[in-house]
Amino acid sequence: MADASAEGRPDYTTCMGWLAQFADSELNRLEKPPALAAHMTSEAWRALSFGHGLIQVARLIERQVDTDFARPAGLSVAGFRIVSALKLNGPQAPSQLADQLGLTRASVTSSLDTLERDRLVVRAPQPDDGRRLLITLTPEGDSVIEDFLKWLSDQPEQEWFESLTRDELVVLDHLLRKAGAQRPPESQARHTVKRRPPRRRGETNSS
């Protein structure tokens, strides 16, 4: 790429131009498996493939963070995510943490019990509503994040993104932030699949 910012990184226009060329040359070659050809459009298949790829990368990173940092630090994955969210976004209600992290209320409550026992967070009534709790990170909890950042700075990026160039990482970062900020309107109807009735013993599929 010819254009670059003062820091040596490609500007937004250059990145988007590269992405358009990549989409024309690569994504159009992404064919649906024959078994799915009759069940979804090409656009739906690409979205499914992209989402699956994101999940794979996220699990790879989460697994390494859990194995090499969180567990040695005495944290569960959920506990580490809660501490990280409090560091990034400040004090929050338990329900906010559950919604933000995609955790159940029960999982958040259980994790908060452990974090509070270990003096990493404190629970206190909200100033404007004493019936609701506000979760705040303690100095000890803050030090956990500082330790994590030191650990993270020692991890070579190649382990997670070795197949991507610097320019590609810039584009990926932008697209992930854009996708993560997307929220469907409250009025938009959501399509959910009905739960299948439990199969009785000895029952077989009917064709």
Side-chain angles (χ1 to χ4, degrees):
M1 295 183 182
D3 298 332
S5 64
E7 293 81 9
R9 296 172 60 180
D11 60 22
Y12 176 78
T13 303
T14 301
C15 289
M16 290 301 102
W18 171 86
L19 182 63
Q21 294 176 7
F22 177 82
D24 289 339
S25 63
E26 297 293 335
L27 292 183
N28 288 337
R29 296 208 300 264
L30 186 60
E31 299 294 337
K32 293 180 292 182
L36 298 178
H39 300 281
M40 62 174 58
T41 64
S42 295
E43 291 74 15
W45 162 243
R46 290 175 184 175
L48 176 63
S49 178
F50 180 67
H52 178 68
L54 286 180
I55 292 173
Q56 284 186 309
V57 174
R59 286 177 174 171
L60 172 66
I61 296 174
E62 185 175 70
R63 187 181 303 116
Q64 184 174 359
V65 171
D66 179 43
T67 302
D68 295 346
F69 178 81
R71 289 185 182 277
L75 295 170
S76 65
V77 172
F80 174 73
R81 293 177 65 192
I82 289 173
V83 171
S84 300
L86 293 172
K87 176 65 175 180
L88 290 173
N89 302 313
Q92 298 179 64
S95 59
Q96 290 176 301
L97 289 168
D99 292 341
Q100 177 188 159
L101 300 175
L103 300 172
T104 64
R105 301 293 197 272
S107 178
V108 169
T109 298
S110 176
S111 296
L112 289 176
D113 289 341
T114 301
L115 293 173
E116 189 173 42
R117 182 200 65 197
D118 294 339
R119 300 181 180 179
L120 301 181
V121 304
V122 292
R123 285 186 274 205
Q126 294 190 15
D128 57 345
D129 187 351
R131 297 170 299 177
R132 303 183 62 188
L133 292 175
L134 191 67
I135 312 302
T136 304
L137 201 62
T138 65
E140 290 86 350
D142 191 77
S143 68
V144 169
I145 299 301
E146 294 298 325
D147 291 341
F148 170 70
L149 293 177
K150 293 177 182 177
W151 172 83
L152 186 63
S153 66
D154 294 332
Q155 303 305 306
E157 292 181 350
Q158 304 91 288
E159 291 186 15
W160 297 336
F161 304 109
E162 61 183 355
S163 62
L164 300 181
T165 67
R166 186 176 182 182
D167 294 349
E168 290 169 344
L169 286 172
V170 172
V171 175
L172 179 62
D173 178 65
H174 170 78
L175 295 179
L176 290 177
R177 290 177 185 274
K178 184 176 181 180
Q182 181 69 27
R183 294 291 185 273
E186 293 293 333
S187 59
Q188 180 175 319
R190 301 186 62 176
H191 173 69
T192 57
V193 178
K194 293 183 179 179
R195 181 186 295 272
R196 292 183 177 182
R199 183 180 299 176
R200 297 177 181 177
R201 181 175 298 180
E203 185 178 357
T204 59
N205 290 329
S206 58
S207 54

